[in-house]
Amino acid sequence: LLAEPLGLDADGFSRPYQLAIQLGSLLMALVGLWMLRKILLKFFTDKTVSIVLLLVAIGTNYLNYAAIDGAMTHNWLFSWYTILIYFTIQFHEKQTIKNAAMIGISVGIMCLTRPTEIISVIIPILWDVKMLSIQAVKEKIKFIFVKIKYYVIAGILVALIGSIQLFYWKYVGGEWFIYSYENQGFTWLHPHFADYALSYRSGWLVYSPMMIFGFIGFYFLIRRNIHAVAIISFLLVNFYIVSAWDIWWYGGRAMVQSYALFAFPIAAFVEYVQQQKFLKVFIYPIFVVFLLYNLWYTYHLHYGNIFG
């Protein structure tokens, strides 16, 4: 509507399209952060949630993919994960077709965006499992069978939305499945955990050290038993998949969407720190340093010509 009247090419690449992508990405980021706040307030204090939003949004590479490289999938997936978590909570409080449908739509859109996000089903399946025990698993299985019609509705929506990609491939390329990554793939038996997280070439935790507190927070999340089974199971499986990709130096961006889940252990840690006077004096300055480091790194990544 705008490109040609403004004397610009209506080709999908000119300035109006670029602006639309940036504004759309920013809007989606705000939706995700708003939803994350809404979710975390169910389990943590308002002060804790405010600190966590600051640490995640400004202190990690989420900032880059929400504010600058918004055309990539990660910021969008982050927001869809918050939507999935919200309706998962709603569903376990009240089983309705709407809540089940929103779970299915969320998972379906994420799978359509990035097929490996099928692991997001871990969240609604393991949610509300209080502890990792045979009895707890039996109770969850019983709940699923009793409410099976809702899970079927969610599953059908996942399949319908996810199949859009298959029909698109068939329409465009004549094949039901087209693998666009050529010779790239996964090395399942030899994942690159250390390289992906700690090397200078990729270094997820080197370039977003704030996320170290996500792993530290596992202990506090388990101690408070805030849906630790679902959250930690998802995070570990996701980290395994991301690290198993052969081209492990593609960077820490693939972890960004999982920050919607990492926010829980970070919040559990932050809330504990607030109760310990000595820890506050020690940990808060580290938070500030990591925040400033991320701002410095993000700026120089794009404008400072240091990493060019």
Side-chain angles (χ1 to χ4, degrees):
L1 294 175
L2 294 176
E4 290 185 349
L6 293 174
L8 300 167
D9 294 330
D11 59 358
F13 297 97
S14 60
R15 288 286 179 167
Y17 297 93
Q18 295 175 34
L19 179 62
I21 290 172
Q22 287 299 111
L23 291 177
S25 301
L26 179 60
L27 176 61
M28 196 62 176
L30 294 175
V31 168
L33 293 172
W34 178 69
M35 290 295 291
L36 182 60
R37 181 179 186 274
K38 195 170 184 178
I39 293 163
L40 292 178
L41 283 174
K42 292 178 177 289
F43 309 99
F44 305 99
T45 65
D46 191 28
K47 183 177 180 181
T48 295
V49 174
S50 299
I51 292 172
V52 171
L53 290 175
L54 179 67
L55 299 182
V56 171
I58 308 298
T60 73
N61 55 338
Y62 172 84
L63 174 66
N64 178 71
Y65 294 100
I68 302 173
D69 291 332
M72 300 190 75
T73 63
H74 312 290
N75 160 50
W76 298 76
L77 287 169
F78 172 93
S79 296
W80 276 108
Y81 267 106
T82 63
I83 294 169
L84 171 62
I85 296 166
Y86 176 78
F87 281 101
T88 295
I89 294 171
Q90 293 292 98
F91 177 76
H92 283 81
E93 292 177 353
K94 187 176 182 180
Q95 293 79 53
T96 65
I97 291 176
K98 174 190 172 183
N99 291 333
M102 284 306 301
I103 289 173
I105 290 170
S106 301
V107 173
I109 289 177
M110 287 193 287
C111 291
L112 185 62
T113 305
R114 201 163 175 265
T116 52
E117 304 307 328
I118 187 63
I119 65 169
S120 61
V121 299
I122 291 173
I123 299 166
I125 289 176
L126 293 184
W127 198 263
D128 229 19
V129 175
K130 301 300 182 184
M131 61 189 75
L132 195 56
S133 66
I134 294 176
Q135 183 59 35
V137 172
K138 284 182 178 179
E139 289 177 3
K140 184 63 181 186
I141 292 173
K142 181 180 178 181
F143 174 83
I144 291 174
F145 273 101
V146 170
K147 307 296 182 180
I148 191 65
K149 71 174 183 180
Y150 299 106
Y151 284 86
V152 170
I153 290 171
I156 290 173
L157 286 169
V158 171
L160 288 174
I161 296 173
S163 67
I164 293 173
Q165 184 67 60
L166 300 178
F167 284 102
Y168 178 76
W169 277 330
K170 184 66 175 176
Y171 171 74
V172 173
E175 302 289 339
W176 285 107
F177 179 80
I178 298 175
Y179 189 74
S180 58
Y181 287 92
E182 299 180 351
N183 61 339
Q184 298 179 26
F186 294 93
T187 305
W188 297 112
L189 297 181
H190 301 283
H192 314 280
F193 294 131
D195 288 329
Y196 183 80
L198 302 173
S199 73
Y200 77 93
R201 294 183 66 188
S202 172
W204 167 48
L205 297 179
V206 171
Y207 299 110
S208 284
M210 190 72 76
M211 294 313 299
I212 294 171
F213 294 111
F215 288 101
I216 295 173
F218 281 6
Y219 169 77
F220 300 96
L221 192 72
I222 293 170
R223 197 170 79 165
R224 290 190 53 180
N225 200 15
I226 301 177
H227 303 287
V229 173
I231 293 168
I232 295 177
S233 295
F234 170 84
L235 291 174
L236 292 179
V237 170
N238 182 68
F239 183 57
Y240 169 70
I241 292 174
V242 167
S243 300
W245 186 247
D246 286 334
I247 313 301
W248 53 264
W249 54 90
Y250 67 112
R253 65 179 184 268
M255 295 298 295
V256 168
Q257 52 264 39
S258 69
Y259 295 174
L261 281 299
F262 264 117
F264 283 84
I266 293 174
F269 175 68
V270 168
E271 199 148 280
Y272 175 78
V273 168
Q274 290 185 76
Q275 299 164 2
Q276 313 296 320
K277 188 174 293 185
F278 170 75
L279 270 181
K280 287 170 71 173
V281 174
F282 176 68
I283 296 296
Y284 279 16
I286 296 177
F287 285 162
V288 173
V289 170
F290 285 174
L291 280 164
L292 293 174
Y293 170 70
N294 187 68
L295 289 170
W296 175 87
Y297 175 65
T298 304
Y299 172 80
H300 284 288
L301 183 65
H302 293 278
Y303 305 109
N305 296 320
I306 289 180
F307 303 102

